[in-house]
Amino acid sequence: MIDIGVNLTNSRFDKDREDVVVRAKEAGVSAMVLTGTDLESSKDAAEMAARLPGYAFSTAGVHPHDAKSVEDLTLPAIRALASRPEVVAIGECGLDFNRDFSPRPQQEAVFEAQLMLAAELEMPVFLHCRDAHERFLAILKPYMDRLPAAVLHCFTGSEVELNECLAAGLYIGITGWVCDDRRGEELRDIVPLIPDDRLMVETDAPYLLPRTLRPKPKSSRNEPCYLPHIVGEIAMLRGQDTEQLITQTTLNSRRFFGL
């Protein structure tokens, strides 16, 4: 199985990053995509991936929280990183109107700049959307015909939003949010609606520790080694065989990222 969203550059992994990778491999995670969220983390993710050739890959981009730091919308640093062989997608990019850590006009400008870059470089995009569905799709849709592929990672939206994302051609990334029968109740209901060939799985580690893990870990830190638990929950909700789901999502991820 492939974990398409791992924030391995996060400081919560500083003390045992190599052990985290070992545990992931032992748990059956066959590859992982390390998420870049700004220039520094994108560079670090690429360098980490380069040290794990054939196993780890990375994205390069600017998260909407960090859009305020972008001064040059030609994104020369992201463009340079995108030329590295381990960098397989542009992002994490998109809109976040929940926290508004960056002004919305700046979020939108930086999002569109990354879509333009991805279209030019013919690279897939790794997307973020929170409480911004209408504006997100309005900006994204004109680029969909020019992008090789796009995935909305950590999807937590409604059934209407899911259907509109699928109609736009998006892949959908599902995290341990689906293991939370309180916050994730609606997602649990609609995850069966995702077509087999549009589904990918992720931990978004160190965030979103699956609530149903037993025994409960002492730390609240999520890890890629917990991906099998998330996959098992998704398979149960979809009424599918777990191994079949692993095979399908692995195929989807390899096709999407060109692994």
Side-chain angles (χ1 to χ4, degrees):
M1 70 198 83
I2 296 177
D3 190 339
I4 69 160
V6 183
N7 296 282
L8 198 62
T9 65
N10 190 281
S11 61
R12 295 180 72 185
F13 292 122
D14 284 352
K15 293 183 179 180
D16 63 345
R17 194 168 277 112
E18 292 182 2
D19 291 338
V20 168
V21 173
V22 169
R23 285 193 289 271
K25 291 180 178 179
E26 291 175 346
V29 177
S30 56
M32 59 175 69
V33 181
L34 313 184
T35 308
T37 58
D38 58 18
L39 179 56
E40 183 178 357
S41 66
S42 293
K43 181 180 178 182
D44 289 347
E47 291 176 351
M48 287 180 188
R51 293 194 291 271
L52 295 164
Y55 184 77
F57 306 86
S58 70
T59 71
V62 181
H63 190 286
H65 289 344
D66 298 290
K68 59 182 177 292
S69 67
V70 175
E71 297 179 354
D72 185 348
L73 287 176
T74 65
L75 303 170
I78 300 300
R79 178 187 294 273
L81 282 172
S83 68
R84 297 181 58 150
E86 58 272 4
V87 177
V88 293
I90 299 297
E92 180 176 356
C93 60
L95 302 176
D96 194 307
F97 291 174
N98 177 270
R99 296 191 176 182
D100 285 317
F101 287 163
S102 293
R104 293 184 182 185
Q106 180 72 356
Q107 288 190 46
E108 294 180 3
V110 173
F111 179 28
E112 186 158 16
Q114 291 178 90
L115 294 174
M116 291 175 63
L117 180 61
E120 176 191 340
L121 300 179
E122 298 182 341
M123 294 182 70
V125 288
F126 188 78
L127 301 169
H128 174 102
C129 179
R130 190 170 184 191
D131 294 351
H133 176 74
E134 290 186 9
R135 283 299 296 147
F136 171 80
L137 282 186
I139 294 170
L140 175 63
K141 279 183 177 180
Y143 291 92
M144 284 301 295
D145 289 342
R146 299 163 53 192
L147 295 168
V151 58
L152 179 51
H153 114 96
C154 191
F155 180 83
T156 57
S158 67
E159 181 174 348
V160 169
E161 290 170 346
L162 174 63
N163 288 332
E164 291 182 352
C165 288
L166 291 171
L170 297 181
Y171 285 74
I172 305 295
I174 298 297
T175 66
W177 188 276
V178 79
C179 300
D180 190 330
D181 59 5
R182 298 179 301 178
R183 294 189 304 170
E185 182 178 2
E186 183 169 17
L187 181 61
R188 292 171 62 83
D189 289 339
I190 65 177
V191 76
L193 303 179
I194 304 170
D196 287 349
D197 62 355
R198 298 276 201 92
L199 176 64
M200 291 191 277
V201 294
E202 53 179 321
T203 56
D204 201 26
Y207 312 113
L208 300 178
L209 179 72
R211 186 168 175 266
T212 50
L213 270 176
R214 296 292 183 274
K216 187 175 181 179
K218 294 180 181 178
S219 169
S220 63
R221 187 186 73 174
N222 197 8
E223 289 191 26
C225 67
Y226 300 140
L227 186 62
H229 180 84
I230 297 170
V231 171
E233 191 82 3
I234 295 170
M236 182 272 294
L237 292 167
R238 290 169 63 86
Q240 289 180 306
D241 175 75
T242 300
E243 290 303 317
Q244 176 189 356
L245 184 65
I246 289 172
T247 298
Q248 181 66 58
T249 56
T250 299
L251 176 65
N252 295 345
S253 300
R254 291 199 178 279
R255 180 176 62 241
F256 181 94
F257 291 107
L259 308 184

